[in-house]
């Protein structure tokens, strides 16, 4: 059974830092792109960042570039999100999501086929 | 960035109705469009990937289609457990973007 368990959320002051972790089990972690998706209270879903299977490529939304860093440790089946210079607008539930692949011809793209339960990050003074 | 515009933002429907939700991409995304369902307080659940491929375990009353940059999620014979918020999401290019969501409520 695929399981994704996030941890590391909490209350932090503006300008502070947090490191989120996602422990994966039940599948070959090193074979999947992994993602962070967030949802502000009462709002919609926002993709934050993703990372290739071997960690060699990462992508992120502009609003977190230079502040958030996604990484992974395939030996530990773990995904991370280092969040620095946190702002009030970063307040959200952060989900870890596995990337499934859909291929059309030679081109493949992702979908989010398994999600963790999420961890709440609150940025407030 | 590719903008995903979902409509309507909310709708009311009765059990047994057929419901259609539309998502329009701001540019061509080929078939790289996914649909998710989220119930209150719950984690999003993948319904459709690649515009029209039903995820394993998802009831066949859910279907997806595309016409150019317009994508449609259809729920045939709406069931009580289908009342939820639905999101489209493009995976054609980063940043991966979601639509604003469509809340399906009970009439």
């Amino acid at each position: 059974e695929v399981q994704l368990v996030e941890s590391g959320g909490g209350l932090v002051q503006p300008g502070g830092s947090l490191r989120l972790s996602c422990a994966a089990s039940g599948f070959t972690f090193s074979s999947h792109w992994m993602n962070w998706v967030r949802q502000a209270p009462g709002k919609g879903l926002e993709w934050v960042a993703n990372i290739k299977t071997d960690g060699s490529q990462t992508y992120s939304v502009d609003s977190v570039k230079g502040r958030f860093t996604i990484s992974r440790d395939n030996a530990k089946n773990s995904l991370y999100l280092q969040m620095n210079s946190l702002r009030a607008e970063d307040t959200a539930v952060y989900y870890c999501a596995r990337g499934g692949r859909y291929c059309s011809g030679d081109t493949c793209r992702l979908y989010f086929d398994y999600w963790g339960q999420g961890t709440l990050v609150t940025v407030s003074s | 960035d590719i903008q995903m515009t979902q409509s309507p933002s909310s709708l009311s429907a009765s059990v047994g109705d057929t419901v259609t939700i539309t998502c329009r991409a701001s540019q061509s995304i080929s078939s790289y469009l996914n649909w998710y369902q989220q119930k209150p307080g719950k984690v999003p659940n993948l319904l459709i990937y690649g515009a029209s491929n039903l995820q394993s375990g998802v009831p066949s009353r859910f279907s997806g289609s595309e016409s150019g940059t317009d994508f449609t999620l259809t729920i045939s014979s709406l069931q009580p457990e289908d009342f939820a918020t639905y999101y489209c999401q493009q995976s054609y290019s980063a940043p991966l973007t979601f639509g604003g969501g469509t809340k399906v409520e009970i009439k």
Side-chain angles (χ1 to χ4, degrees):
Chain A
E1 178 193 5
V2 172
Q3 284 198 319
L4 298 168
V5 180
E6 303 93 337
S7 60
L11 174 64
V12 61
Q13 292 189 338
S17 298
L18 276 178
R19 188 193 196 207
L20 305 184
S21 299
C22 172
S25 61
F27 65 101
T28 304
F29 181 73
S30 59
S31 295
H32 289 265
W33 283 69
M34 294 298 296
N35 302 266
W36 288 101
V37 177
R38 68 184 178 183
Q39 187 168 35
K43 302 298 184 182
L45 300 168
E46 180 183 36
W47 172 80
V48 175
N50 66 9
I51 186 167
K52 193 178 178 180
T53 52
D54 61 0
S56 62
Q57 294 178 33
T58 65
Y59 298 89
S60 61
V61 67
D62 282 350
S63 60
V64 308
K65 280 191 170 85
R67 301 189 301 124
F68 291 9
T69 302
I70 187 172
S71 62
R72 65 191 296 162
D73 185 335
N74 286 346
K76 295 183 177 180
N77 290 339
S78 293
L79 175 71
Y80 307 101
L81 186 67
Q82 177 66 45
M83 304 188 297
N84 298 330
S85 303
L86 282 160
R87 306 166 179 167
E89 54 266 34
D90 296 319
T91 294
V93 173
Y94 284 73
Y95 296 103
C96 164
R98 192 180 83 164
R101 283 206 317 168
Y102 165 67
C103 298
S104 178
D106 295 333
T107 305
C108 297
R109 293 292 188 268
L110 297 177
Y111 49 82
F112 310 133
D113 58 356
Y114 288 93
W115 300 62
Q117 289 301 307
T119 187
L120 176 62
V121 172
T122 303
V123 184
S124 174
S125 55
Chain B
D1 298 1
I2 298 174
Q3 309 302 318
M4 305 303 296
T5 304
Q6 252 183 272
S7 61
S9 57
S10 65
L11 65 89
S12 296
S14 301
V15 173
D17 286 352
T18 293
V19 166
T20 299
I21 299 169
T22 298
C23 186
R24 173 168 290 174
S26 61
Q27 64 184 74
S28 175
I29 58 170
S30 188
S31 297
Y32 300 115
L33 189 283
N34 310 311
W35 290 98
Y36 302 86
Q37 175 194 65
Q38 187 179 33
K39 298 179 181 178
K42 300 297 185 182
V43 173
N45 181 50
L46 175 68
L47 299 174
I48 302 280
Y49 64 90
S52 60
N53 298 280
L54 193 67
Q55 171 69 349
S56 176
V58 174
S60 58
R61 62 180 179 274
F62 292 92
S63 63
S65 63
E66 64 177 294
S67 177
T69 58
D70 290 341
F71 298 84
T72 300
L73 174 70
T74 300
I75 312 172
S76 304
S77 188
L78 198 68
Q79 297 300 299
E81 60 267 31
D82 300 336
F83 293 94
T85 300
Y86 294 84
Y87 296 93
C88 62
Q89 175 251 325
Q90 67 82 16
S91 57
Y92 181 77
S93 67
L96 308 184
T97 45
F98 288 88
T102 296
K103 187 173 183 179
V104 177
E105 299 175 302
I106 301 173
K107 181 182 286 184

